[in-house]
Amino acid sequence: MADDTAAAAPDSPEPDEAQEARTAKRRKLLRILAIVVAAVALLWGIWYFLTQAGRVSTDNAYVGADSATVTALVPGPVEAVRVSGTQAVKKGDVLVVLDDADQRIAVADAEAALRQARQRYGQADATADAARARVTARGAEIRQAQARLRDAEATVERARAELARRESIAGTGAVSGEELTAARAALKQAQAARDLAAAGVTSAQATRGSASGDLGAAEAVVRGTTIDTAPDVAAAQARLDKAKLDLARTVIRAPVDGIVTNRQVQVGQRIAAGAPIMVIVPIDSAYVDANYKESQFGKIRIGQPVELTSDYYGGGIVYHGKVVGIAGGTGAAFSLIPAQNATGNWVKVVQRLPVRIALDPKELKAHPLRVGLSMEATIDTRGK
């Protein structure tokens, strides 16, 4: 028995050596695991610092667009509707055609009024020319009357001289009483003729004054104008242009490229001017309004790059954009009934502020979005 114990004694260190070997191996594995974990943590930290640090995200973001509400600019019954809901249209495409019978009559009436205005201007111009000719003729008559007056005055002077000569020799008996009487009568006749000639000059001057007044009235209508710039003609032309514009507006065209939505017009319906008939959504110029928490705005600036994804296409499609604007107030501030927190009994709620994000047009054209779709937006606040 003692021999067996003695024989077994030299083998007893083997279990201890095996245990130490296993412990050393375990420690080595733990060190390797720790190194791996530290390396992974370091790599993750480097990756986060390089790609995720300074990025703020939100899933409270929605697609928007400056939709165009199509309205009728003139009233009338609907003759044809050329588009349907959800149809894509281009700018200038015909959407709705109205019955244009009333507008065509208005154009014909305006054209007739324009012709009449031109005719009245022509008459006024001719009247001015005639008045101008009358003034010239009255001037000639005045000159004739003045010539007659001068002739009459000369006759008076001759008659006066004859009378004086006869009176000077009447005492010598060389002139009879009858000749003296005839000389005196001739003087009075010459004076009467002079007075008549003077009255003729006055009458001719008065006639010329009347003609000048008529000329002034006629020229006032056409002075400083042409047949195209005369007020009546210009007003008639403006009415004709308005009538033609109303006629053109009976064909309602698409103001922008986009998708037809909310169509509210049918054939045979009579619509009033200004009535909305449909909405066109320009999906090629869509944008995103992302509502970020107020605590996230420390480093958000206009111009920073943004990455966005949509459930519409899934996470595999990433849109790129940039911050183009920050709203002037929260949605609650501009709500119909703003919050009133002056009582003191209130619970602080983190507010959100809309951020306008412009999308890359090429990406938007490759993967069109629709207004109202939800988005996830991540702003890289380190970007410029």
Side-chain angles (χ1 to χ4, degrees), residues 334-373:
F334 297 104
S335 62
L336 183 61
I337 304 178
Q340 298 295 328
N341 300 323
T343 61
N345 298 322
W346 63 286
V347 177
K348 181 179 179 180
V349 177
V350 176
Q351 300 297 314
R352 290 181 178 268
L353 194 64
V355 174
R356 178 66 56 87
I357 300 171
L359 301 175
D360 186 338
K362 294 181 180 179
E363 295 177 349
L364 191 59
K365 186 176 182 179
H367 300 90
L369 295 170
R370 296 296 187 271
V371 173
L373 293 178

Side-chain angles (χ1 to χ4, degrees), residues 136-148 150 201 204 208:
T136 302
R138 298 294 87 80
E141 290 177 357
I142 290 174
R143 290 190 294 273
Q144 290 176 358
Q146 290 173 341
R148 286 194 295 269
R150 289 191 298 269
V201 171
R208 181 181 178 181

Side-chain angles (χ1 to χ4, degrees), residues 81-159:
V81 180
R82 302 287 179 84
V83 295
S84 59
T86 72
Q87 180 177 337
V89 296
K90 295 292 185 180
K91 181 178 180 179
D93 288 351
V94 177
L95 305 177
V96 177
V97 178
L98 304 180
D99 186 349
D100 60 0
D102 293 340
Q103 284 73 23
R104 290 185 181 278
I105 293 174
V107 169
D109 184 63
E111 287 175 341
L114 177 60
R115 289 193 294 270
Q116 188 177 28
R118 287 178 173 272
Q119 185 180 48
R120 286 197 299 267
Y121 182 86
Q123 291 174 346
D125 194 20
T127 300
D129 290 340
R132 198 174 294 112
R134 286 195 298 272
V135 168
T136 302
R138 298 294 87 80
E141 290 177 357
I142 290 174
R143 290 190 294 273
Q144 290 176 358
Q146 290 173 341
R148 286 194 295 269
L149 176 60
R150 289 191 298 269
D151 183 66
E153 288 176 344
T155 303
V156 168
E157 292 300 325
R158 285 194 302 271

